[in-house]
Each structure stands twice: as structure tokens, then as C-alpha cells.
Amino acid sequence: MTDQNKKAPQAPEAPKVPQQTSKSEEVAAAPAKDAGAEPLLKVTDLVKHFPITKGVLKRKVGAVQAVDGLSFDVYPGETLGVVGESGCGKSTMGRLITRLLEPTGGKVEFEGRDITHLSAGQMRPMRRDVQMIFQDPYGSLNPRHTIGGIVGTPFRLQGVEPDGGVKKEVQGLLELVGLSPEHYNRYPHEFSGGQRQRIGIARALALRPKLVVADEPVSALDVSIQAQVVNLLDDLQSELGLTYVIIAHDLSVIRHVSDRIAVMYLGKIVELADRKSLYESPMHPYTKALLSAVPVPDPRRKGVRSDRIRLEGDVPSPISPPAGCRFHTRCWKATEICGVQEPPLLQLRTGHQVACHHPENAPDQAPGEERLPQAREAAELVSVAKPDAVAEPEAAVEPEPAVEPEAAVEPEADAKPEQAEPEQPGKKQPEKQQSAEKQSAKKQSGKDKK
């Protein structure tokens, strides 16, 4: 089963050719690392546990381990994409690094300064450099305030008076994100979903921040509007030199905008690599399963067999996550060591880190281990289309241009004798004519009675 599974992630590779036009890869990420620049954001062993209380005295009986030991760096000018299933802690991680939530443990450094436990007053000056774009474009806007008041709020809170006044600056921001300056006095309910998201982006960019955390910025939008917002974020990054941490479910969107990608599972980062390396040769089995589920919108691949890895079972509860590797309960390569020892996040290739004892496309970190019996049923390889099933429709398409359908039209010429058939004696008349004669006979009998 493992040999077949190695073919699974090959399916998502084809539709990614146009993604080479991403500006952030060429302009930002490479110069930052080659020059040995210091990271703009440094996260070390970040932890967030939400307590579970019970009773009148609110006694703590447990904790939801939403984020449990995250470590990563974000360099100036690059885009870090974060993907994973719902409930894996992506949004919580975004709120922690912007200090909208208080971390339980770990350290968050911004430009070399520890901001982990700064108070609200101490964080206020930092808000100019760290902003967030929220997931819900309507819920993040106050329905009682005009667009001019919403986008102009950061200036008032920070005591900043831009040249030309707040109104002129806000109208310029609206133009920057593709809206009209005339929208200054309108309210959020007068805009579409994509326009509301643009308003949220304008508010986040009001003070020209250095780091922008975008939590699902396009998940609630139509596909056409998604493309507009993604291109807008890309253009603003090149114009203003922004640094992004983008959280999303859509792997195609993440591939388009990101320089490096972090894959999260149950509160932990299981793989962190650059875009090309992650999509072409994923190392973690969970990443491989995610990529195999990506649809391939390529007409040239119609009918081509593609294998998808279907994981069995549900994601374990973050209240009591499994011991050892948290993915071993759904992994088809799990061995005894996976359920006992948690794998560290190691760099097995240049710029490619993975937390797995038995990685794909890399040397085995725990050789000689036998697979667990339940591991054989943890995942299933599903073929989307079989080669035999594809050949039959193709063979059936070839006779279509033949003259067979035209030959079927020839009996239409025999319709003329059919019209003369009722005149011949001894032949049964059609049912319609019989019903018409019955109705006329009834009418005639009615006249006779009168």
C-alpha cells in the first residue's frame, strides 16, 4: 500500500504552472535569506491552552490545547502561508502573534523585541507595525459607522495626523484597494462581500504596517472576487514592501501567494518548507494526503487516473491529543515509536523541515520499525478514474460522426403512407380520431334529444 501511496501527491502538480508569476518569491524571500537578514517575526515554542472549568467555583478540569509548541521565523518582505484542517489552531496562532490573545507559554519577538507579555498600553505603539485582516468581512466592520470612520479609526487611536487630513488619506486608501473615494460616507451593508474585504484591507494598511496577518482573507468570497483580493494583496506587497502571514484552507491560493508554507495538524507544525519543495516532494504523510485531495482543473487531464489518499476516522480532540506523533492514529506508516515518542521538527533538506519518524521522499528516521496493525486501515487509496473506464467512453465517441444518426432519419419519409392508413378499410383508426368521433356523436345525440 505504501508503494501506491507514493503516487498520490502527483495529481495536484499539473494545474500549478501559472503560479510562477508570484511576485513575492522573486522580490522578497530570496534576498532576505541570502543577505542573512534578521527575521522580522520570531516565534519560539508558542503555546495557548484554553482552560475548561466546571462547577460554581469554576474549577479547572482540563484544557483545550489549541496551539502547542510552534516555532518559526518570518523574514522581511516574504509571505508565510499556513494551512491545515479546521480546528488545527491556525486562527489562534494568528491572534497570538498579533497579541490579540495572551499566550500560555513560549516567546514572540518582533524586530528583536519580546512582545509576549506586553500590556495593552505597551502594545499600542506596536499596533502601527502589526495589523490583522479578519476572516469575516462583515463581522469585522461596525455596521453603525461609515466607511470613512472605520478606515480612519487607526489614525485617531494612534494620534496620527496625515498630510492633507484624515479624510484625504482615507480616500486615497480606498482608491489603493480598488474602491471609489465617493464610498467615504457609505455604510458596510451597502457593499458586497469582496468590497467589504477590501475595506478591511484598507483599514489594516492605514498606518503602513510592517507585518500583516490575514486570517482566511478570501474564504468567504466568490472565486472571481478571490482572484481580485489575492492579486490586490500581491500588488500591495510589491508597492509597500509588506510582510504577510496568510492563513487559508485553499491550497491553490496558498501556493499562489506564499514563499514558504507551514502545515499544521492538531496545534503543531508538521512540515515547513518553501513552496516548490513542499508541492513537488512533500515529506509528511499528512501533507501528502492534503495535496492528493486538491482537484485538478485541467481539461488535458480529463479521464487520467489520479489517486487520492482518504484518511479514515476523525481528527482527535485537542482536549486529549494522542501521545507521541499526533497524526499516528490516521497515518498509514505508523509504527510503535510513533505512538510513544513525539518527532521533533528537523531540517532534512535545505529549507525543508518535517516532524515525522518515517517521512516521504527522505531517509527513514527510525528504520527497522514494523508498521502497527491499525496503520494498514488508517488510510485508503481511492482511484478517481480507472483507465478501463476511461477507454470505453472514448471508443463510444468515435462513431458519433458516422452516418448512423442520419440513417435513422430515413423512416421519416414513410410517414406519408401512415397519414393515408386511416382511409384504408379494415384498418383500425388511431385513438385520437376515435375519441373525436365519440365526442361528435355525443353532441349529435344531445341535439336529437332537444
Side-chain angles (χ1 to χ4, degrees):
M1 183 174 179
T2 351
D3 297 335
Q4 293 177 335
N5 289 340
K6 292 182 180 178
K7 301 178 183 178
Q10 297 178 358
E13 294 178 6
K16 308 302 179 184
V17 178
Q19 312 300 343
Q20 298 175 355
T21 57
S22 177
K23 301 177 184 177
S24 53
E25 180 184 13
E26 302 175 358
V27 180
K33 292 188 178 181
D34 294 344
E38 292 294 326
L40 180 69
L41 177 71
K42 185 177 180 65
V43 178
T44 309
D45 297 329
L46 188 61
V47 176
K48 179 59 180 178
H49 292 175
F50 294 97
I52 302 174
T53 58
K54 186 178 182 181
V56 181
L57 300 178
K58 302 295 182 183
R59 183 171 52 91
K60 182 180 176 181
V61 295
V64 178
Q65 303 178 24
V67 172
D68 198 12
L70 300 186
S71 298
F72 60 90
D73 299 335
V74 182
Y75 291 87
E78 79 163 344
T79 300
L80 175 68
V82 183
V83 296
E85 291 179 272
S86 297
C88 69
K90 305 185 301 297
S91 298
T92 304
M93 180 269 295
R95 292 173 179 268
L96 288 172
I97 62 179
T98 55
R99 282 304 320 281
L100 296 178
L101 289 176
E102 182 72 19
T104 306
K107 183 188 289 187
V108 180
E109 297 178 74
F110 182 76
E111 292 186 323
R113 181 185 178 187
D114 189 357
I115 64 171
T116 311
H117 300 292
L118 293 183
S119 63
Q122 293 172 326
M123 274 299 298
R124 184 170 294 251
M126 302 289 297
R127 297 294 181 198
R128 300 185 59 175
D129 297 327
V130 182
Q131 287 291 321
M132 188 167 186
I133 301 172
F134 296 94
Q135 179 175 359
D136 187 358
Y138 187 69
S140 60
L141 304 177
N142 193 328
R144 297 187 178 185
H145 290 183
T146 62
I147 300 308
I150 291 173
V151 181
T153 299
F155 297 107
R156 293 192 295 271
L157 293 177
Q158 294 290 337
V160 177
E161 185 65 30
D163 297 336
V166 175
K167 182 175 181 180
K168 183 179 179 181
E169 183 70 16
V170 169
Q171 289 178 334
L173 286 168
L174 294 178
E175 283 187 303
L176 183 65
V177 298
L179 297 175
S180 172
E182 300 175 356
H183 296 157
Y184 183 87
N185 292 319
R186 294 188 183 181
Y187 289 87
H189 71 271
E190 301 179 56
F191 295 90
S192 65
Q195 290 174 321
R196 292 171 191 160
Q197 194 64 282
R198 290 169 183 265
I199 295 168
I201 295 173
R203 179 179 58 184
L205 301 180
L207 298 174
R208 297 294 191 268
K210 298 177 182 177
L211 174 67
V212 177
V213 179
D215 183 13
E216 303 277 3
V218 296
S219 63
L221 307 177
D222 295 334
V223 177
S224 58
I225 306 300
Q226 284 183 9
Q228 295 177 12
V229 174
V230 166
N231 293 332
L232 173 64
L233 294 174
D234 210 6
D235 295 339
L236 292 175
Q237 183 176 40
S238 58
E239 292 177 16
L240 306 177
L242 300 174
T243 303
Y244 288 137
V245 175
I246 297 183
I247 302 167
H249 284 100
D250 195 335
L251 292 172
S252 59
V253 171
I254 285 293
R255 179 167 187 170
H256 178 72
V257 300
S258 302
D259 302 309
R260 291 187 301 139
I261 300 172
V263 182
M264 287 188 64
Y265 183 82
L266 211 60
K268 288 186 173 291
I269 292 180
V270 296
E271 189 164 2
L272 177 61
D274 63 273
R275 180 179 64 184
K276 183 178 179 181
S277 177
L278 185 87
Y279 278 82
E280 290 185 355
S281 57
M283 291 187 181
H284 201 279
Y286 176 65
T287 309
K288 186 174 181 180
L290 282 182
L291 294 178
S292 71
V294 176
V296 185
D298 189 354
R300 295 171 298 179
R301 292 180 58 84
K302 182 180 180 181
V304 178
R305 174 176 178 173
S306 58
D307 295 334
R308 182 171 67 86
I309 302 173
R310 185 170 63 191
L311 300 177
E312 301 294 337
D314 298 327
V315 183
S317 172
I319 300 175
S320 56
C325 176
R326 299 194 173 187
F327 184 64
H328 83 271
T329 57
R330 306 172 72 194
C331 182
W332 62 93
K333 302 183 72 175
T335 59
E336 186 176 354
I337 191 175
C338 298
V340 178
Q341 181 181 341
E342 181 179 346
L345 189 65
L346 300 177
Q347 180 169 313
L348 302 184
R349 194 185 299 159
T350 305
H352 199 143
Q353 303 177 47
V354 63
C356 184
H357 293 298
H358 310 288
E360 302 277 348
N361 306 311
D364 199 333
Q365 302 301 301
E369 293 279 337
E370 293 186 4
R371 278 198 305 168
L372 297 175
Q374 59 268 27
R376 303 179 184 276
E377 302 176 358
E380 180 183 359
L381 190 66
V382 180
S383 297
V384 177
K386 294 182 179 180
D388 298 337
V390 175
E392 294 177 3
E394 290 178 357
V397 174
E398 294 178 0
E400 287 183 0
V403 197
E404 293 179 1
E406 298 179 358
V409 182
E410 294 178 1
E412 293 181 359
D414 301 336
K416 296 180 180 178
E418 289 179 4
Q419 296 176 359
E421 283 180 7
E423 299 177 0
Q424 298 178 6
K427 279 202 171 183
K428 207 170 184 180
Q429 294 181 349
E431 294 180 2
K432 291 183 179 180
Q433 294 183 4
Q434 291 179 3
S435 60
E437 291 177 1
K438 289 180 180 179
Q439 290 178 1
S440 59
K442 287 180 180 179
K443 290 180 182 178
Q444 187 65 31
S445 61
K447 290 179 182 179
D448 297 341
K449 289 180 181 179
K450 290 180 181 179

